[in-house]
Amino acid sequence: MTRAALAAKAPEERRERIMLATIAVVRERGFAGTRVADIALEAGTSQGLVLYHFGSLAGALAACLTMLEDEFYDDFAQHLAAENGPVERLRFMAELAAGRGAAVGNWGLWLELWARALRDPDSRAVRESQDRRWRTVLRRVVDEGVADGSFSPSSAAKSVLRLAALMDGLAVQLALNEPGMTTRKFTELWWDSAVLELGITEPAKRGKTPR
Amino acid sequence: MTRAALAAKAPEERRERIMLATIAVVRERGFAGTRVADIALEAGTSQGLVLYHFGSLAGALAACLTMLEDEFYDDFAQHLAAENGPVERLRFMAELAAGRGAAVGNWGLWLELWARALRDPDSRAVRESQDRRWRTVLRRVVDEGVADGSFSPSSAAKSVLRLAALMDGLAVQLALNEPGMTTRKFTELWWDSAVLELGITEPAKRGKTPR
DNA sequence: GCGTATCCTGAACGATGGTTCAATATGCGC
DNA sequence: GCGCATATTGAACCATCGTTCAGGATACGC
């Protein structure tokens, strides 16, 4: 099996490996610093193959973008569904955004994506879609909380906008590891804001608030 | 005077012109897309001169960064001092950040700066200093308000952190002109948050909140 | 077994763009 | 006016990639 079997499922697997390599390199060097040669090296293939599969460096980067997007979202949606009520869900979102699960190490990528979105339509589309997804979920959780009486925002729409924006803003500090900003502080600050915005009374049960 | 005088003060003036050109080009093309040739063209000089004055493209970009920083801050501090009380000052900050004065067209640059700061120490330093300045001023205004009874935050430090972060987050949307995000909405959303955070009772007098 | 389509490689090509440099101009003290 | 220091230029240089390409290997239908 060894040689033959490996080669057999190679094409698709190879393609995948290149995409993963692309993400890895972009994480390390950033979009601007990513070269075809780096990707090939990381993936253990030739430069030619990268171009063969994705047509151009830009193509590879684009593929990596959409992959990232889906990866993050799938992971997230799955875990969110496991939570019980709106308060727990909200708490989960706060913790996830701060750096649990698939978000780990991704904020840096988002920062780059934002900058890129200023000029590159593909990046803009990905960023927009990602953002919309996130806000939609947040909105749903808030509505759920309003329905069952846990939340009482003066305006759900505005609260969602602000809470989403606050996350982005806190994320900048986290990504640039501003002295004093930590995962815990991120969660705490955001959660306090959510309490204020939504008038949450019931304390969150999930996660170790302590310390 | 014409020819001679112009040439006389030329060196310094030329240098300045190159810096301004650099800012202009960076605004238009972004950091990554800025070439020495673009700067030279915009400044009406040769590529050689750009390198002569700043040593390298990176040097020119760095110079433009610090210039930007000072430019923004000076303009800002001057206007802020003109406002009367803490509520007015806060309101002024909300409006300025949303796009008045020197901030116009700068949010895109900030986004780029954040991304750059992930890897470039110079950019990181500028961003950090800029951020600290802004938060310091915000803190001062808040303290002032606490002192004269206009504000009553549960924690001044946390409120300042959150309000500053919220601005950055809203700025992302504004810079990428997310459909639905406008200068007015920016101000409105942020101001509502400030009211909530600081427990402001007195309505803001400044600025045309109306339509 | 044979031919064809898919995969894959490594080297070479070519464009782009930062940097160097020799030559020239300009202002300025003497 | 003479020279020296500072500015300024434009062209040439050269490193760095992205991309192309001609050639092989591999799988697969017939």
Side-chain angles (χ1 to χ4, degrees):
Chain A
M1 165 297 201
T2 51
R3 185 75 55 90
L6 279 176
K9 64 172 176 180
E12 258 319 302
E13 196 246 334
R14 223 84 188 281
R15 209 187 127 93
E16 172 99 6
R17 198 193 299 221
I18 292 176
M19 276 205 277
L20 292 176
T22 306
I23 296 185
V25 175
V26 170
R27 248 200 201 104
E28 196 181 323
R29 314 228 165 145
F31 281 99
T34 296
R35 309 181 208 312
V36 179
D38 299 328
I39 299 176
L41 187 69
E42 175 83 22
T45 66
S46 68
Q47 282 184 243
L49 194 61
V50 177
L51 280 301
Y52 174 77
H53 279 302
F54 299 97
S56 66
L57 173 60
L61 293 178
C64 130
L65 274 187
T66 61
M67 186 182 205
L68 253 182
E69 190 189 352
D70 294 341
E71 178 187 288
F72 175 77
Y73 191 71
D74 291 348
D75 185 69
F76 160 62
Q78 184 190 338
H79 282 84
L80 188 70
E83 301 292 330
N84 302 339
V87 179
E88 287 73 16
R89 294 229 169 95
L90 198 69
R91 182 76 199 178
F92 172 74
M93 288 180 83
E95 288 172 3
L96 181 77
R100 290 251 186 106
V104 178
N106 273 359
W107 278 122
L109 278 181
W110 295 158
L111 291 208
E112 294 224 329
L113 188 63
W114 297 343
R116 228 175 136 72
L118 289 167
R119 273 146 202 118
D120 171 41
D122 280 351
S123 302
R124 169 176 294 243
V126 170
R127 137 100 216 330
E128 213 160 295
S129 139
Q130 182 83 33
D131 196 49
R132 194 164 20 243
R133 274 180 171 181
W134 182 262
R135 281 213 302 259
T136 303
V137 174
L138 190 53
R139 177 61 195 256
R140 200 168 298 143
V141 172
V142 168
D143 284 346
E144 205 185 338
V146 168
D148 85 354
S150 316
F151 306 155
S152 51
S154 61
S155 159
K158 283 187 182 179
S159 287
V160 166
L161 262 169
R162 275 195 293 259
L163 287 173
L166 180 59
M167 265 191 182
D168 289 346
L170 290 170
V172 174
Q173 316 244 354
L174 196 59
L176 296 175
N177 44 72
E178 187 78 354
M181 181 54 66
T182 62
T183 295
R184 176 170 301 126
K185 196 143 194 181
F186 181 113
T187 309
E188 185 196 330
L189 283 168
W190 191 81
W191 184 255
D192 286 356
S193 218
V195 169
L196 209 57
E197 284 276 357
L198 305 174
I200 304 176
T201 51
E202 175 186 2
K205 289 154 196 151
R206 211 198 121 83
K208 51 229 73 165
T209 332
R211 194 318 114 90
Chain B
M1 145 342 177
T2 51
R3 185 73 56 89
L6 279 177
K9 65 173 173 178
E12 257 319 301
E13 196 245 335
R14 224 84 190 279
R15 209 187 126 93
E16 173 100 4
R17 198 194 299 221
I18 291 177
M19 275 204 277
L20 292 176
T22 305
I23 296 184
V25 175
V26 170
R27 252 204 195 98
E28 195 180 323
R29 314 228 163 144
F31 282 101
T34 296
R35 310 182 205 311
V36 179
D38 299 327
I39 300 175
L41 187 69
E42 176 82 23
T45 66
S46 67
Q47 284 184 240
L49 195 61
V50 176
L51 280 300
Y52 174 78
H53 278 302
F54 299 97
S56 67
L57 173 60
L61 293 179
C64 129
L65 274 187
T66 60
M67 187 181 204
L68 253 182
E69 191 189 349
D70 295 341
E71 177 187 288
F72 175 77
Y73 191 72
D74 291 349
D75 184 69
F76 160 63
Q78 183 189 339
H79 282 85
L80 188 70
E83 301 293 329
N84 302 338
V87 179
E88 287 74 17
R89 293 228 169 94
L90 199 68
R91 181 79 199 176
F92 172 74
M93 288 180 83
E95 289 172 1
L96 181 77
R100 291 252 187 106
V104 179
N106 273 358
W107 278 121
L109 277 181
W110 294 159
L111 291 208
E112 295 225 327
L113 187 63
W114 296 344
R116 225 175 139 72
L118 289 166
R119 278 152 197 111
D120 171 41
D122 280 352
S123 301
R124 167 175 296 243
V126 169
R127 135 105 217 326
E128 211 159 299
S129 140
Q130 182 84 32
D131 196 49
R132 195 167 15 247
R133 274 181 172 180
W134 182 262
R135 282 213 302 261
T136 303
V137 174
L138 190 53
R139 176 65 194 254
R140 200 167 299 144
V141 172
V142 168
D143 285 345
E144 203 186 338
V146 169
D148 84 355
S150 318
F151 307 155
S152 50
S154 62
S155 159
K158 284 186 181 181
S159 287
V160 165
L161 262 169
R162 275 197 292 259
L163 287 174
L166 180 59
M167 265 191 181
D168 288 346
L170 289 171
V172 174
Q173 316 244 355
L174 196 60
L176 296 176
N177 44 75
E178 187 78 354
M181 182 54 67
T182 61
T183 296
R184 177 171 298 126
K185 198 144 192 179
F186 182 114
T187 310
E188 185 197 329
L189 283 167
W190 192 81
W191 184 254
D192 285 356
S193 218
V195 168
L196 209 58
E197 284 275 357
L198 305 175
I200 304 176
T201 51
E202 176 186 2
K205 289 153 196 152
R206 211 199 121 84
K208 54 228 71 165
T209 332
R211 207 278 127 91

